[in-house]
Amino acid sequence: MALQTADASFPTWGTRWAVHATPDIGSPSVGMINRTSPGQDRVTADYQVDTGRRVCEGSACSTFMAHITQPVTGFLTVASVDIPEDRLPGVPVRPAPSLPPAPQPSSRQQTLQRAAVWLTADNGRPVPYSQRSHWRDGYRQDCSGYASMALGLPSPGETTVGLAGRRVTRPIPMSELEPGDLVIDALGNSNTRHVVVFEKWNDAAQRSYTAYEQSSPRGTSHRSLTYGLAAGSEYKAHRPLQYGN
């Protein structure tokens, strides 16, 4: 007997909802709903899965993730849908599909390898910094576009605030930074916010670290930094959820 499916369209609310590869909010993002303004997208769903993991945004909560086919194919938390219920009405509930294990999150090493590409991508030179331009790979040439590229997030990339958000990363103590984690200042405006990709501590006392950075005027660099190490610093350590730990 074929599994029941249905195609139903629903309005969404809020901004920047991640669409995931599997019915797990910790799985890699494959796209974004309402990327630039609230409620701009309608989603078409053919079935939904009860994950048993409650997701809340404001007063909206749900354990269900919908398999959507428009405007992006993947799994979206039902908390993003503008309905009073905690599940999609009229859409069948199915078990989570049997999928091969997700490749371990593009791995931390792959994040660092991607970050290194921009050091020489401009005919042997670093990719220039720009808040407006996009590089040949489709990512913005600013710090958050660069970090998004390194993490393998959808182009043109998250904003710095988006990278610090709970759909992409979680905060960790600076002392627990590991290769591929992010150090982020998400406060202020576009001229003061910043993010770098951590590679390694330079000494056992953790007095400085080496990181990949996209900044003006040097463009992409790989250098020693101390962002976030001073008391009261606005820079905080964040761990991408895609690493699974």
Side-chain angles (χ1 to χ4, degrees):
M1 178 178 175
L3 289 169
Q4 181 189 12
T5 62
D7 290 314
S9 178
F10 298 90
T12 55
W13 71 280
T15 56
R16 308 189 71 79
W17 292 100
V19 180
H20 295 274
T22 69
D24 177 355
I25 60 170
S27 66
S29 170
V30 295
M32 190 75 66
I33 298 298
N34 300 350
R35 181 179 292 276
T36 57
S37 60
Q40 71 187 52
D41 294 320
R42 291 185 68 90
V43 295
T44 300
D46 55 1
Y47 67 91
Q48 57 190 326
V49 174
D50 188 352
T51 68
R53 185 175 179 182
R54 189 174 176 85
V55 174
C56 293
E57 183 76 14
S59 61
C61 296
S62 180
T63 61
F64 285 80
M65 292 189 76
H67 180 259
I68 64 171
T69 56
Q70 294 290 337
V72 181
T73 299
F75 290 87
L76 177 69
T77 174
V78 171
S80 69
V81 182
D82 192 14
I83 54 173
E85 298 93 338
D86 67 349
R87 68 190 71 185
L88 300 181
V91 175
V93 177
R94 284 173 40 179
S98 297
L99 296 171
Q104 219 10 30
S106 312
S107 85
R108 293 176 177 276
Q109 189 58 39
Q110 288 180 347
T111 294
L112 299 180
Q113 289 171 352
R114 283 192 295 265
V117 168
W118 276 25
L119 290 171
T120 57
D122 189 16
N123 295 319
R125 298 184 299 273
V127 172
Y129 178 87
S130 173
Q131 291 187 5
R132 298 180 180 177
S133 300
H134 295 69
W135 191 239
R136 298 164 192 147
D137 55 14
Y139 289 92
R140 290 189 321 276
Q141 293 171 223
D142 59 10
C143 62
S144 55
Y146 172 63
S148 297
M149 178 277 297
L151 291 172
L153 300 177
S155 62
E158 286 280 349
T159 64
T160 306
V161 173
L163 289 172
R166 64 185 180 87
R167 299 190 191 101
V168 181
T169 63
R170 65 178 179 87
I172 60 171
M174 288 291 294
S175 61
E176 294 182 9
L177 281 165
E178 296 180 22
D181 288 338
L182 305 181
V183 180
I184 306 175
D185 178 356
L187 302 179
N189 57 42
S190 61
N191 294 317
T192 60
R193 298 174 190 138
H194 196 43
V195 54
V196 300
V197 180
F198 178 90
E199 182 191 25
K200 62 182 179 180
W201 292 105
N202 293 333
D203 53 55
Q206 298 186 342
R207 289 172 293 195
S208 67
Y209 56 87
T210 299
Y212 291 91
E213 180 179 31
Q214 180 74 356
S215 62
S216 179
R218 63 176 60 86
T220 314
S221 63
H222 181 221
R223 64 193 187 109
S224 179
L225 298 171
T226 58
Y227 303 152
L229 300 183
S233 174
E234 294 181 350
Y235 282 90
K236 307 298 178 185
H238 290 261
R239 176 151 300 159
L241 299 181
Q242 69 183 57
Y243 295 147
N245 68 334

